[in-house]
Amino acid sequence: MSNATSSAPNASARAAEAATGAAPEAAQAAATATDATPPAGNQIDPRGPRFGASITAVLLAVTVFVSLLAAPNATFAERLVQPGFVLLVIAAALFAWGAFAGIKRHPYGIFFATVIRPRLAAPRETEDAAPPTFAQGVGLFVALVGIVLHLLGVPYAVPIAAGAAFIAAFLNSAFGFCLGCQLYLGLTRLGVIRRRPASA
Amino acid sequence: MTPLIAAAIVGGLLVVSVVIGAVLRARTGRIRAVPVSRAAAVSPAGSVSAAGSAEVAGVNETVGSTEVAGVNEAAGSSETAATSNPNAIDLSELGSASVLGERATLLQFSTQFCSICPGTARLLKTVAEASDSVTHVEVDLTDRPDLANRFAVLQTPTTLILDADGVPRARIGGAPRRQFLEEHLRNFAA
């Protein structure tokens, strides 16, 4: 879960701002885009992550389907090349890309920004890149758990991990579900995520 | 496993996802009253949370009863002793320089990993400005799991509606629905 700390330098500045109790004026000003120019700074078009999540959801649904077809009693060498496992590794690599390079440098994000966004009207508001980047980190964690358990020979590790990630990606895509909203405080309260204290 | 069964499982997964999404959508943004008597009964040390879990109770001890007692004296200085409420929230304890609204305060808890929090802040600010003697205060819990524990906040945004004394009267999990919120504030006791 180290991704939670990766955006800390930027995040701590906002924490200092928000700690005053006033609504973050800068975020508010940046959040009202009026033309079709790409959002500045760490702000993104909220439709970008939802677009990416729909592709991810399809990939994960295919992963669940394919991995369920795999032969149950495979040897370690056979498990390594099972199509469902390979697809989950690809999904994990894409999650890692989003979590570490940032959602704006993710292939889906670049595709959205260069091909799709210019054809759409300007968004009503932009959002910070930190929440979807956090969600990518959670996706990476779930996929990695599936990969490790599969390599250890745990049956159905791949479809279960892919299924869990699918639910989150589908909810994000279809319902605008925000994993960071639902999960972040629960994880910090359980002590799973520890951030270094804000410099403020 | 046959392809037919595998496809059925994928289809079932899709159905489960839709049901979860529908339930989340139906539950989010509802205004729930904070049961005052129960909150007072379970939190002698000054917790404002209605959730009487052991976790919250443990945090209460660290809040410190002397600190809370001092707050109560300040809050209840013009009142009789009977009306001073141990559940009253002192905004300065939350690291906020804001003061309570004369009639109500919309206390919003956010984090930096919450994509809908800035939109909620704009909504609450607009509603507060349009309402009589209501203020909006936003507190960032990203680095404050202690406050998340104290107020039993699991999701963001979570909004507490405080009365004039700073006592939480209602709680909204998720993005508030404007119409319900405005109606609630119109009927909110002065």
Side-chain angles (χ1 to χ4, degrees):
Chain A
M1 304 306 293
S2 62
N3 67 294
T5 58
S6 63
S7 62
N10 165 57
S12 61
R14 282 192 59 198
E17 188 178 20
T20 62
E25 298 296 334
Q28 197 170 352
T32 49
T34 51
D35 58 5
T37 55
N42 208 27
Q43 295 287 310
I44 54 169
D45 187 329
R47 295 168 297 188
R50 287 182 71 168
F51 167 78
S54 61
I55 302 177
T56 305
V58 172
L59 171 65
L60 290 167
V62 172
T63 305
V64 172
F65 179 75
V66 171
S67 61
L68 284 174
L69 297 179
N73 297 315
T75 64
F76 184 79
E78 284 167 350
R79 287 202 302 271
L80 273 182
V81 293
Q82 281 176 345
F85 175 71
V86 173
L87 283 175
L88 187 62
V89 170
I90 292 171
L94 288 167
F95 282 136
W97 197 329
F100 296 117
I103 200 88
K104 290 175 95 170
R105 293 190 203 90
H106 191 279
Y108 302 161
I110 293 170
F111 181 75
F112 178 81
T114 55
V115 177
I116 295 180
R117 195 174 189 282
R119 298 164 197 274
L120 301 176
R124 278 189 292 126
E125 57 183 37
T126 61
E127 68 176 26
D128 199 88
T133 301
F134 171 81
Q136 294 280 311
V138 175
L140 172 63
F141 176 76
V142 171
L144 283 179
V145 169
I147 287 170
V148 169
L149 291 182
H150 176 78
L151 291 178
L152 292 174
V154 176
Y156 300 115
V158 171
I160 289 173
F166 167 83
I167 292 175
F170 175 82
L171 288 177
N172 184 354
S173 165
F175 290 89
F177 175 76
C178 156
L179 203 60
C181 305
Q182 304 285 339
L183 221 54
Y184 177 78
L185 280 181
L187 292 177
T188 50
R189 287 177 63 185
L190 291 172
V192 178
I193 299 175
R194 290 186 197 281
R195 281 164 55 101
R196 47 178 183 271
S199 52
Chain B
M1 191 174 286
T2 67
L4 199 63
I5 296 174
I9 290 175
V10 173
L13 192 61
L14 188 64
V15 171
V16 167
S17 303
V18 171
V19 169
I20 293 173
V23 168
L24 284 175
R25 180 169 282 186
R27 283 182 51 178
T28 196
R30 282 211 187 142
I31 302 176
R32 290 181 294 130
V34 174
V36 175
S37 56
R38 182 165 153 260
V42 298
S43 51
S47 166
V48 294
S49 167
S53 67
E55 196 180 3
V56 174
V59 172
N60 286 344
E61 288 163 24
T62 64
V63 170
S65 55
T66 53
E67 192 184 2
V68 174
V71 171
N72 288 340
E73 283 166 28
S77 57
S78 61
E79 313 281 335
T80 61
T83 58
S84 80
N85 196 315
N87 300 312
I89 295 176
D90 181 4
L91 292 181
S92 63
E93 272 185 72
L94 310 184
S96 170
S98 306
V99 290
L100 288 171
E102 285 173 35
R103 200 162 63 88
T105 301
L106 304 174
L107 176 58
Q108 178 192 346
F109 295 115
S110 305
T111 72
Q112 283 143 20
F113 300 101
C114 167
S115 58
I116 57 175
C117 288
T120 296
R122 283 196 296 283
L123 167 69
L124 293 182
K125 198 172 174 225
T126 307
V127 170
E129 280 169 359
S131 306
D132 184 35
S133 307
V134 176
T135 47
H136 167 237
V137 178
E138 186 177 10
V139 172
D140 191 319
L141 296 186
T142 308
D143 299 307
R144 295 299 302 270
D146 56 322
L147 289 180
N149 273 329
R150 185 178 153 193
F151 297 106
V153 181
L154 268 177
Q155 65 165 335
T156 52
T158 289
T159 306
L160 299 177
I161 303 179
L162 313 180
D163 66 13
D165 296 327
V167 179
R169 297 295 185 189
R171 183 181 177 107
I172 309 169
R177 296 174 207 186
R178 181 169 191 160
Q179 189 194 338
F180 295 151
L181 179 63
E182 287 173 338
E183 200 178 304
H184 186 90
L185 287 175
R186 267 197 298 278
N187 301 329
F188 200 78

